[in-house]
Short mmCIF file of all heavy atoms in Angstrom, two decimals:
data_model
loop_
_atom_site.label_atom_id
_atom_site.label_comp_id
_atom_site.label_asym_id
_atom_site.label_seq_id
_atom_site.Cartn_x
_atom_site.Cartn_y
_atom_site.Cartn_z
N THR I 173 -45.35 -177.09 -108.26
CA THR I 173 -44.18 -176.72 -109.06
C THR I 173 -43.09 -176.12 -108.18
O THR I 173 -41.93 -176.08 -108.59
CB THR I 173 -44.57 -175.71 -110.15
OG1 THR I 173 -45.26 -174.60 -109.55
CG2 THR I 173 -45.46 -176.35 -111.19
N ILE I 213 -50.89 -184.29 -108.58
CA ILE I 213 -51.30 -183.11 -109.34
C ILE I 213 -50.54 -181.91 -108.79
O ILE I 213 -50.51 -181.68 -107.59
CB ILE I 213 -52.80 -182.84 -109.23
CG1 ILE I 213 -53.62 -184.01 -109.77
CG2 ILE I 213 -53.18 -181.55 -109.96
CD1 ILE I 213 -55.12 -183.86 -109.56
N ALA I 214 -49.93 -181.15 -109.69
CA ALA I 214 -49.34 -179.85 -109.33
C ALA I 214 -50.32 -178.78 -109.83
O ALA I 214 -50.39 -178.52 -111.03
CB ALA I 214 -47.97 -179.67 -109.98
N PRO I 215 -51.11 -178.20 -108.94
CA PRO I 215 -52.17 -177.28 -109.39
C PRO I 215 -51.71 -175.84 -109.51
O PRO I 215 -50.96 -175.33 -108.68
CB PRO I 215 -53.20 -177.41 -108.27
CG PRO I 215 -52.40 -177.70 -107.05
CD PRO I 215 -51.17 -178.46 -107.50
N PHE I 216 -52.13 -175.20 -110.58
CA PHE I 216 -52.05 -173.74 -110.69
C PHE I 216 -53.46 -173.24 -110.41
O PHE I 216 -54.35 -173.43 -111.22
CB PHE I 216 -51.66 -173.31 -112.11
CG PHE I 216 -50.26 -173.65 -112.51
CD1 PHE I 216 -49.92 -174.93 -112.89
CD2 PHE I 216 -49.28 -172.67 -112.52
CE1 PHE I 216 -48.64 -175.24 -113.28
CE2 PHE I 216 -47.98 -172.98 -112.91
CZ PHE I 216 -47.66 -174.27 -113.28
N LEU I 251 -59.64 -183.06 -112.93
CA LEU I 251 -58.55 -184.02 -113.04
C LEU I 251 -58.46 -184.88 -111.79
O LEU I 251 -58.22 -186.09 -111.88
CB LEU I 251 -57.22 -183.29 -113.28
CG LEU I 251 -55.98 -184.19 -113.37
CD1 LEU I 251 -56.12 -185.21 -114.51
CD2 LEU I 251 -54.72 -183.35 -113.56
N VAL I 267 -47.32 -187.72 -112.68
CA VAL I 267 -47.41 -186.36 -112.14
C VAL I 267 -48.02 -185.47 -113.22
O VAL I 267 -47.48 -185.37 -114.33
CB VAL I 267 -46.04 -185.80 -111.72
CG1 VAL I 267 -46.19 -184.38 -111.18
CG2 VAL I 267 -45.39 -186.70 -110.69
N PHE I 268 -49.13 -184.84 -112.90
CA PHE I 268 -49.80 -183.93 -113.82
C PHE I 268 -49.75 -182.52 -113.26
O PHE I 268 -49.61 -182.31 -112.06
CB PHE I 268 -51.27 -184.33 -114.00
CG PHE I 268 -51.49 -185.67 -114.64
CD1 PHE I 268 -51.56 -186.82 -113.86
CD2 PHE I 268 -51.64 -185.79 -116.01
CE1 PHE I 268 -51.76 -188.06 -114.44
CE2 PHE I 268 -51.84 -187.02 -116.60
CZ PHE I 268 -51.91 -188.16 -115.81
N ALA I 269 -49.87 -181.54 -114.14
CA ALA I 269 -50.05 -180.16 -113.72
C ALA I 269 -51.30 -179.62 -114.42
O ALA I 269 -51.61 -180.03 -115.54
CB ALA I 269 -48.84 -179.31 -114.08
N VAL I 270 -52.01 -178.74 -113.73
CA VAL I 270 -53.20 -178.10 -114.29
C VAL I 270 -53.02 -176.60 -114.22
O VAL I 270 -52.74 -176.05 -113.16
CB VAL I 270 -54.48 -178.49 -113.52
CG1 VAL I 270 -55.69 -177.82 -114.16
CG2 VAL I 270 -54.67 -179.99 -113.50
N ARG I 271 -53.17 -175.94 -115.37
CA ARG I 271 -53.04 -174.48 -115.44
C ARG I 271 -54.21 -173.95 -116.25
O ARG I 271 -54.24 -174.03 -117.48
CB ARG I 271 -51.71 -174.11 -116.07
CG ARG I 271 -51.46 -172.61 -116.16
CD ARG I 271 -50.02 -172.30 -116.58
NE ARG I 271 -49.68 -172.84 -117.88
CZ ARG I 271 -48.46 -172.77 -118.41
NH1 ARG I 271 -47.47 -172.21 -117.73
NH2 ARG I 271 -48.22 -173.28 -119.60
N GLU I 274 -55.59 -175.97 -119.21
CA GLU I 274 -54.49 -176.78 -119.74
C GLU I 274 -54.09 -177.86 -118.75
O GLU I 274 -53.90 -177.60 -117.56
CB GLU I 274 -53.29 -175.86 -120.01
CG GLU I 274 -52.07 -176.54 -120.59
CD GLU I 274 -50.92 -175.55 -120.78
OE1 GLU I 274 -51.00 -174.43 -120.21
OE2 GLU I 274 -49.96 -175.89 -121.46
N ILE I 275 -53.99 -179.10 -119.21
CA ILE I 275 -53.48 -180.22 -118.41
C ILE I 275 -52.14 -180.65 -119.00
O ILE I 275 -52.03 -180.87 -120.20
CB ILE I 275 -54.46 -181.41 -118.41
CG1 ILE I 275 -55.75 -181.03 -117.69
CG2 ILE I 275 -53.83 -182.62 -117.75
CD1 ILE I 275 -56.81 -182.11 -117.72
N MET I 276 -51.15 -180.76 -118.13
CA MET I 276 -49.81 -181.15 -118.57
C MET I 276 -49.39 -182.45 -117.86
O MET I 276 -49.61 -182.59 -116.66
CB MET I 276 -48.79 -180.06 -118.22
CG MET I 276 -48.99 -178.76 -118.97
SD MET I 276 -47.96 -177.41 -118.30
CE MET I 276 -49.03 -176.82 -116.98
N LEU I 277 -48.81 -183.37 -118.60
CA LEU I 277 -48.16 -184.54 -118.02
C LEU I 277 -46.69 -184.20 -117.84
O LEU I 277 -46.01 -183.85 -118.80
CB LEU I 277 -48.32 -185.76 -118.93
CG LEU I 277 -47.55 -187.02 -118.48
CD1 LEU I 277 -48.11 -187.53 -117.15
CD2 LEU I 277 -47.63 -188.10 -119.55
N MET I 278 -46.21 -184.28 -116.61
CA MET I 278 -44.84 -183.91 -116.32
C MET I 278 -43.90 -185.09 -116.59
O MET I 278 -44.27 -186.26 -116.40
CB MET I 278 -44.70 -183.48 -114.86
CG MET I 278 -45.66 -182.36 -114.45
SD MET I 278 -45.46 -180.87 -115.45
CE MET I 278 -43.85 -180.32 -114.87
#
Side-chain angles (χ1 to χ4, degrees):
T173 53
I213 299 174
F216 291 78
L251 178 59
V267 180
F268 296 89
V270 181
R271 182 170 60 184
E274 181 182 14
I275 294 176
M276 294 169 274
L277 175 65
M278 306 301 291

